[in-house]
Amino acid sequence: MNHAAAPAKVYLVGAGPGDPGLLTVRAIECLQQADLVLYDQLLSRRILDQIPPHVEQLCVSELPGSHPERWPHIHQRMIAEARQGKCVVRLKSGDPLIFGRGGEEAEALHEAGIPYELVPGVTTALAAGSYLEISLTHRQHSSALALVTGHEAPGKPDSRVDYSSLAQFPGTLAFYMGISRLPAIIAELIKHGKSPDTPALIVHDVSTGEQRAVTARLIDLENARRQAGIETPALILIGTIVGKKNRPSWFERRPLYGKRILVTRPRHQAETMMRSLELLGAVPYLLPAVEITPPDNWHPVDATFD
C-alpha cells in the first residue's frame, strides 16, 4: 500500500461489549482502512472476526512488560507505526474513554504530533441495561447512574473513590473491573450507610450468548457470585431498580440462548450463518471442515456436461 510521507492517522476505537452487531458504522469504516489493529486482550473473538483478513493484528498482551508497565509500549507502538505511514486502529473494549485509558493514549499521540480520532463505543453498563432489560434510570426508582471503577483498593490513601457519597447516591451504581475487589466494595458501601438489603447484580459477558447474571442482596452478592461461578469480565450493578428485574429479558428468551454451536463451513462462507446463530442467542464457534478447490482434472466434469 502506498502511504503519504506524513504520519498516518491513529483511530482510538470503542468495540462495544462483545456483540459484533454493536460495533458502530464508524468503527467498521476504521477497521476496513487499517494497516494494523492493536487490540485489547479481552476483546471477543467475534469482534476480531470483523477485521479484514489482510490487516495485521497485534494483541497488546504481546508487547513487553506486565499489565502495569505495558502502557508506554502501547503508546510507542502506535506512534512508531503511524510515523511509518500506516493507518493504526487501537481497538478497545467498550468505549475508549470509559475506564479504557483512551485519554492517556490520545494525549500521547497529541504530544507526538500524530493525527488521531476517537470513535465512541457502547460501554458495558449501557449494554447491560438493555440486554438484561433493566432500566438503569427510572422516574420512580433511579434518578441517576454512576459509572465507578472497582479496580482501586478502597482503603488506600490515594483512593479517589468516594464511598461515602456513593452510599448515598440516588440512583444505580455500575462498578467496572470490580470482581477481585467485590468484598471490599460491599464492605465500604455498607460501612458508609448503604443498606445491606439493597438489590445487586453481577453480569458476565454482556451482549453475547455467554451472558450470565446473578442477583442477590448487596451483603450476599459475593456468595451468590461464587456459587454461580461468575468471573471476569463482569459488571456489578447496585440499586433499587435491580430488584425490579423479575423475568428473563428479551435477550435471555432467545431460542438458542447460551447454546454452543460448531460451524464447519469454509471461513469465507461462515459469517452469515454465525451471525444468524448469534441473533438467536447462540455462541458460534468456527471450525472449517470443508475446503472448496478446483479439481486436479476437469475431464470428468466436462464429460458430465457433454
Side-chain angles (χ1 to χ4, degrees), residues 205-218:
D205 263 0
V206 168
S207 80
T208 75
E210 301 276 11
Q211 176 178 303
R212 294 293 180 272
V214 60
T215 57
R217 298 186 307 158
L218 178 60

Side-chain angles (χ1 to χ4, degrees), residues 17-41:
D19 179 359
L22 295 183
L23 280 166
T24 65
V25 172
R26 184 59 181 146
I28 293 294
E29 290 173 346
C30 293
L31 291 175
Q32 289 174 343
Q33 61 182 304
D35 296 308
L36 169 67
V37 175
L38 189 62
Y39 63 91
D40 282 348
Q41 185 175 3

Side-chain angles (χ1 to χ4, degrees), residues 126-147:
L126 302 188
S130 293
Y131 280 71
L132 291 168
E133 209 168 320
I134 294 174
S135 182
L136 299 179
T137 61
H138 191 287
R139 286 183 298 172
Q140 296 179 347
H141 304 288
S142 177
S143 59
L145 169 66
L147 308 182

Side-chain angles (χ1 to χ4, degrees), residues 187-265:
E188 286 293 315
L189 288 172
I190 293 175
K191 171 185 172 182
H192 288 93
K194 197 75 172 173
S195 171
D197 296 325
T198 303
L201 173 150
I202 295 180
V203 58
H204 167 78
D205 263 0
V206 168
S207 80
T208 75
E210 301 276 11
Q211 176 178 303
R212 294 293 180 272
V214 60
T215 57
R217 298 186 307 158
L218 178 60
I219 197 168
D220 298 326
L221 189 59
E222 170 64 5
N223 287 336
R225 178 196 72 80
R226 289 181 178 275
Q227 290 177 9
I230 291 181
E231 301 293 343
T232 56
L235 179 84
I236 304 161
L237 294 175
I238 301 169
T240 303
I241 194 64
V242 174
K244 303 302 176 183
K245 179 176 171 56
N246 55 15
R247 66 176 186 272
S249 70
W250 62 270
F251 182 67
E252 295 163 328
R253 294 196 301 271
R254 286 183 167 182
L256 296 181
Y257 176 65
K259 302 294 185 183
R260 294 175 172 83
I261 299 178
L262 192 65
V263 177
T264 59
R265 302 190 71 179

Side-chain angles (χ1 to χ4, degrees), residues 17-18 39-45 47 59-60 93 177 205 232-234:
Y39 63 91
D40 282 348
Q41 185 175 3
L42 289 179
L43 279 181
S44 74
R45 57 185 175 76
I47 294 293
C59 180
V60 296
S93 299
M177 306 172 294
D205 263 0
T232 56

Side-chain angles (χ1 to χ4, degrees), residues 162-185:
D162 185 350
Y163 282 90
S164 177
S165 296
L166 291 177
Q168 308 303 321
F169 185 73
T172 307
L173 301 176
F175 281 88
Y176 289 64
M177 306 172 294
I179 296 302
S180 64
R181 299 293 307 164
L182 183 55
I185 291 170

